[in-house]
Amino acid sequence: MLSFIDRIREDVRTAFAKDPAAKSTIEVLLTYPGLHAIWTYRIANALWKRDHRLAGRLLSHLARFLTGVEIHPGAEIGDRFFIDHGAGIVIGETAEIGDDAMLYQGVTLGGDSLEDKKRHPTLEDGATVGSNATVLGPITIGEGASVGAGSVVLESVPPNCTVVGNPAKLVGECQEDESIELGSGFPD
């Protein structure tokens, strides 16, 4: 298990791998609100899991105020998750996000029920969701799948496929798994 400092280092490496605008480590550390939101989420999530739910919610509320990114402390988020720009992101309580996933600004991973059950999406490893897309309900965005900007996704997306539109529809052929091994290729 990585220490908090090792996770920060990994997050900075991920920013360099996924954002060509990243120019220096100090710039990434100080000016990437998506990273600040993820770091705060990790603390809030630890509080949530230890049954300090109010403290976790208050911390996530403070992070939303400071970063424009709302991540419920009950959400489950994997390693090397990256939020590019971040403003307007909403990640619901029962959302699950795998390793190497990426969100752009304005994405909502929202619920479709008022019942206390799994009601938010699952993003599998390597999934990408474009700017201002809305993904609703307990659906799955498959491994390596992409959701186009502005799309509204109400049904699961198969692995290595791309969907666009409102409502989202598959475009083109789903790709064979030609991607690099998840988690590899990041500079040390």
Side-chain angles (χ1 to χ4, degrees):
M1 182 155 197
L2 295 176
S3 72
F4 193 76
I5 297 301
D6 289 335
R7 282 197 175 272
I8 289 173
R9 287 185 181 120
E10 181 178 63
D11 291 336
V12 170
R13 286 192 301 270
T14 300
F16 278 104
K18 293 189 175 193
D19 185 3
K23 303 299 182 213
S24 72
T25 299
I26 193 72
E27 173 194 25
V28 170
L29 287 170
L30 296 177
T31 68
Y32 275 54
L35 290 181
H36 301 150
I38 291 166
W39 297 334
T40 308
Y41 153 79
R42 288 187 184 133
I43 298 167
N45 179 257
L47 290 166
W48 185 266
K49 287 178 176 179
R50 288 174 178 79
D51 224 18
H52 300 290
R53 297 206 166 178
L54 179 59
R57 287 298 302 266
L58 287 170
L59 188 56
S60 71
H61 184 72
L62 176 63
R64 182 182 70 178
F65 175 75
L66 296 172
T67 67
V69 176
E70 181 175 345
I71 305 174
H72 192 286
E76 291 297 326
I77 297 176
D79 296 331
R80 296 172 305 280
F81 171 55
F82 186 66
I83 298 173
D84 197 4
H85 297 292
I89 298 264
V90 177
I91 300 172
E93 176 184 14
T94 63
E96 298 172 60
I97 300 173
D99 297 340
D100 303 297
M102 183 169 173
L103 303 181
Y104 288 90
Q105 68 272 9
V107 168
T108 298
L109 302 180
D112 69 348
S113 170
L114 298 177
E115 295 179 44
D116 189 16
K117 63 179 188 176
K118 171 75 170 153
R119 60 190 183 281
H120 297 92
T122 296
L123 274 59
E124 292 185 342
D125 295 347
T128 300
V129 182
S131 300
N132 299 310
T134 302
V135 184
L136 297 176
I139 62 174
T140 298
I141 307 303
E143 184 172 343
S146 295
V147 174
S151 296
V152 176
V153 185
L154 304 173
E155 296 179 4
S156 291
V157 177
N160 301 307
C161 292
T162 299
V163 295
V164 297
N166 179 6
K169 304 276 188 229
L170 285 172
V171 293
E173 297 291 321
C174 296
Q175 302 296 311
E176 295 296 322
D177 190 9
E178 299 170 3
S179 63
I180 61 170
E181 183 180 328
L182 294 175
S184 67
F186 294 111
D188 289 327

